[in-house]
Amino acid sequence: MDRRHFLKTSALTAAGIAAGGALAPEASAKTVTVETRLQSRGHIKEPARKVAVVDGADVVVVGGGPAGFAAAVAASRQGLDTLLLERGYFLGGLFTGCDVTILNDMYTPTPGGRVQAVYGICDELCARLIKHDMLAWLETAPNVDTEATKYFMEEICREAGVRILYGVQAADVSMSGDRVDHVILETKSGRVAVSSKFVIDCTGDGDILAWTGEDFKEYDYDISAMYRIGHVGAGKVGSATPHEGVVTGHLGNGVQGVDGLDIYTLTNAQLELRKRMWDSTFKMRETPGNEKAYLLSTPSVVGVRITRVLNSVRNVTTEGAATGKTYDDVIGFTGADSTLRWNGSGIPRKQRKMWQVPYSSLVPKKVSNLLVAGRCFGFEEELMYDAREVGTCLMTGQAAGTAAAQAVTYRRGCRDIDVKLLQKTLRDNNVKLDW
């Protein structure tokens, strides 16, 4: 177990609450001791207080990025009351709010051209964008318009019956035994809680899995930024977007090898990277044809790539991804969009295969009503690049939402569902499971 600098909280216990979406009249809790990863100047003692339970659902999805969006839609389409919690006021996370608009890993490059790996809800979203000319094709991936994507994500959620709650920051969980009973939230309306039959952690940083006491690894990694530049008229600058004269810029490795869970690090990275975006854009004006280029948009938060990664029931291995391993509990494919270090050498991206993701890599070892999707599901370190991309997040999210709905419907724990039924449902919803 690797929990260095872990923001460690003891679990809360709830009394008088069924493991369902019904609102609870009152809950009692143990005293909570909080340790921060930051250097302390002392401590204060916070008074004990009651936290109002203001909502509840069959499935509570924490995080409205690509994984959370797909998870919520998949669960709701199976007939479950689904509540999607998002700290911002839009869906898509880094995908739409930070100009990380290239759908890497939806396709995989091959010597003969790109081959599609991710279908399902990902394909559905792209179809709407294509219909409205809001998607540009790059060599190996689509690049989408941010505002159109936000809109269509909300529309798909609305049509599926997903309930969205914006402006809520997950702060802790309340547990009874091996089950999460509540997610505790900090909001403009005060500190509140929502009850849950099942929770899906799509926070990106694995916040929920960490608070439940699940095992994970934590990585320092590069933090970077993508941004949009307007009035570009000449040269091979950035990546093409659906709009003439607008390109997506990328600062590459950005700030290298830092802790993406440290608020001081994140603040300094935001300041430094914004300056780089500004300077880079105005440097372009020295190129003939780009004299009027300007910084069109910068990310609302910096691009944290990896922090916590679940130590799942069965992590995806580097060997499995490199050799095209098949899994009896496969829930989707992801593309291969990077050079992969394996067996003492590097496999170039165009020589790699798309790779399967097993259901067991979304499943924690201890908690019975929790699944993990997005960049914090279980995989080996060498797979960081592929595993965190938007296409992979959409695929793992759809699988997690479908599985959660099945678990609630048949009153099963996450490790006890019928995987064959899960796979049938995914295939029925246009998810690729076979070579």
Side-chain angles (χ1 to χ4, degrees), residues 16 29 43 51 71 109 132 142 179 209 215 230 250 256-257 266-267 303 315 333 406 409-410 412 429:
H43 294 84
V51 177
H132 290 81
R179 297 184 61 83
L209 71 90
D215 192 20
H250 187 216
Q256 298 183 29
L266 294 173
T267 300
N315 283 10
F333 280 86
Q406 182 180 323
T409 299
Y410 296 100
R412 301 276 183 90
N429 286 276

Side-chain angles (χ1 to χ4, degrees), residues 106-144:
M106 180 180 179
Y107 290 80
T108 195
T110 70
R114 61 175 181 252
V115 176
Q116 189 168 349
V118 182
Y119 289 81
I121 292 171
C122 176
D123 215 23
E124 180 182 337
L125 176 61
C126 286
R128 298 202 186 197
L129 293 166
I130 291 169
K131 182 179 179 181
H132 290 81
D133 296 321
M134 291 293 168
L135 182 150
W137 288 101
L138 307 178
E139 179 187 1
T140 60
N143 195 7
V144 306

Side-chain angles (χ1 to χ4, degrees), residues 4 70 149 304:
R4 50 191 184 77
T149 305
V304 174

